[in-house]
Amino acid sequence: MPSTNLPLSGVPRTMLMTTRARVEEHQRDDGLFRDPTIAEWWPTLQWDEALDSMYNPIAQLTWAVRAYLFDQIVQRHLGTYTDATVVELGAGLSTRYYRVGQSCHRWIELDLPEVTELRRYFDHESDRHRFVSASALDPSWMDTVPDGLPASRLIIAEGLLMYFEKAQVQALIAHLKQRFPGATLAFDAVGGVTHGQGSKQLARLGAPLKWFVKNEADVVAMGLRLMEVRSLLQENCRYRDRIGIFRWVPWFSQLPPLRNAGLVIEARL
Ligand SMILES: C[S@@+](CC[C@H](N)C(=O)[O-])C[C@H]1O[C@@H](n2cnc3c(N)ncnc32)[C@H](O)[C@@H]1O
């Protein structure tokens, strides 16, 4: 039997933090979403204490807001396309399918083998909800995406691309454009200002951030057509009453380096 105590390392290890953020959001009376599925899985997962130094209320809010923004993208997409296919690259233990995706025609959760093995321990695969064990950087996963209207495909990369080298991101986008022209790519990117303490801690955990953008013009230069761009810091500010430290931030979040510290980008391939 697979174990939930699989020793995760490198980037896969980071998904414990984003998972915990969703559990705690679910538990809040004023949470942005309910996520009973991850709350049910969580007690069986083993928290990694080495992540304690990176996990705090601001990080929790940021990852919850980010998940909520991606949920909204999915809801809009499923409202437009009845035969949609959604692919989550670097899905971790995403439970978005259960939160907002069950009307989807086909949903694919893709992650590296150790994480997909963990998912299989908790989750049940079906024709509609597939699990793919692969690197997003190996384009052969694209063969698992069923035929369909190009525009009906939504590919999500939440908390993933910043761990790749710029050339790897560029190559992935080029492959996606070639295979799924007209599809939507939704992802987040980090700005140079994130080269701080958090970035150093991630590097010590074996998950260094590698791809930084100045702003969304950098992804336009990679051949993407922008649909919508949201600043994570500006979105966080909507909920600043939850965290006193944000009281002074709304004005500063208009400054480009802070506005661009974390961007959630929806783009046409
Ligand atoms: C920060 S976690 C985000 C997980 C999930 N998207 C979320 O927001 O909860 C990064 C995820 O990317 C996965 N990952 C890292 N490198 C990958 C690769 N080359 N291909 C696919 N997944 C990868 C990790 O295993 C991990 O689950």
Side-chain angles (χ1 to χ4, degrees):
M1 186 170 97
S3 163
T4 56
N5 297 334
L6 290 174
L8 294 175
S9 59
V11 183
R13 192 182 197 182
T14 63
M15 85 57 195
L16 286 170
M17 296 191 283
T18 52
T19 302
R20 177 172 167 182
R22 287 185 285 115
V23 174
E24 292 180 359
E25 196 63 21
H26 166 81
Q27 290 164 341
R28 290 183 68 96
D29 289 341
D30 61 351
L32 294 169
F33 51 78
R34 301 274 304 148
D35 196 337
T37 307
I38 200 63
E40 188 188 318
W41 296 353
W42 183 248
T44 317
L45 272 163
Q46 186 146 325
W47 174 247
D48 181 341
E49 285 174 7
L51 303 172
D52 279 347
S53 60
M54 290 212 61
Y55 193 87
N56 57 52
I58 297 175
Q60 188 279 329
L61 176 64
T62 303
W63 288 318
V65 167
R66 186 177 72 176
Y68 182 57
L69 293 176
F70 279 96
D71 282 2
Q72 291 173 336
I73 292 172
V74 170
Q75 285 171 313
R76 276 203 309 276
H77 192 83
L78 298 187
T80 308
Y81 300 102
T82 50
D83 62 341
T85 294
V86 175
V87 184
E88 283 210 60
L89 301 177
L93 288 179
S94 170
T95 36
R96 176 162 295 116
Y97 172 75
Y98 297 104
R99 286 200 305 278
V100 294
Q102 290 188 70
S103 67
C104 191
H105 177 63
R106 189 67 62 84
W107 188 288
I108 297 173
E109 316 270 10
L110 179 143
D111 210 301
L112 297 171
E114 59 270 43
V115 177
T116 305
E117 190 183 339
L118 197 54
R119 174 177 292 279
R120 287 186 196 285
Y121 179 84
F122 292 108
D123 207 354
H124 172 68
E125 192 169 12
S126 65
D127 261 1
R128 187 185 281 254
H129 188 202
R130 293 273 177 81
F131 310 155
V132 174
S133 185
S135 169
L137 297 174
D138 175 356
S140 56
W141 68 261
M142 297 179 191
D143 298 338
T144 65
V145 178
D147 291 338
L149 197 66
S152 69
R153 293 173 173 136
L154 169 63
I155 296 152
I156 297 173
E158 178 184 10
L160 176 67
L161 300 187
M162 61 287 287
Y163 295 106
F164 295 158
E165 299 287 354
K166 181 181 175 188
Q168 293 175 311
V169 176
Q170 177 76 78
L172 174 61
I173 289 174
H175 281 298
L176 289 171
K177 277 171 67 79
Q178 195 181 22
R179 289 294 295 270
F180 309 121
T184 300
L185 175 65
F187 62 100
D188 56 319
V190 296
V193 80
T194 49
H195 263 307
Q197 189 59 15
S199 182
K200 289 192 186 102
Q201 284 171 323
L202 278 169
R204 278 198 291 275
L205 291 169
L209 298 174
K210 295 176 181 165
W211 180 51
F212 299 92
V213 298
K214 188 164 178 231
N215 56 38
E216 57 269 37
D218 284 3
V219 304
V220 172
M222 289 180 159
L224 293 176
R225 286 172 286 158
L226 296 179
M227 295 164 69
E228 187 158 356
V229 180
R230 304 264 197 101
S231 158
L232 259 177
L233 185 58
Q234 290 175 6
E235 293 294 326
N236 274 1
C237 287
R238 293 171 186 264
Y239 313 101
R240 62 184 179 276
D241 288 347
R242 276 170 53 163
I243 300 175
I245 199 169
F246 274 117
R247 283 185 211 291
W248 54 271
V249 175
W251 187 85
F252 288 103
S253 72
Q254 305 300 321
L255 299 173
L258 296 179
R259 182 256 183 200
N260 300 323
L263 296 175
V264 173
I265 299 175
E266 197 179 344
R268 188 78 72 202
L269 287 167

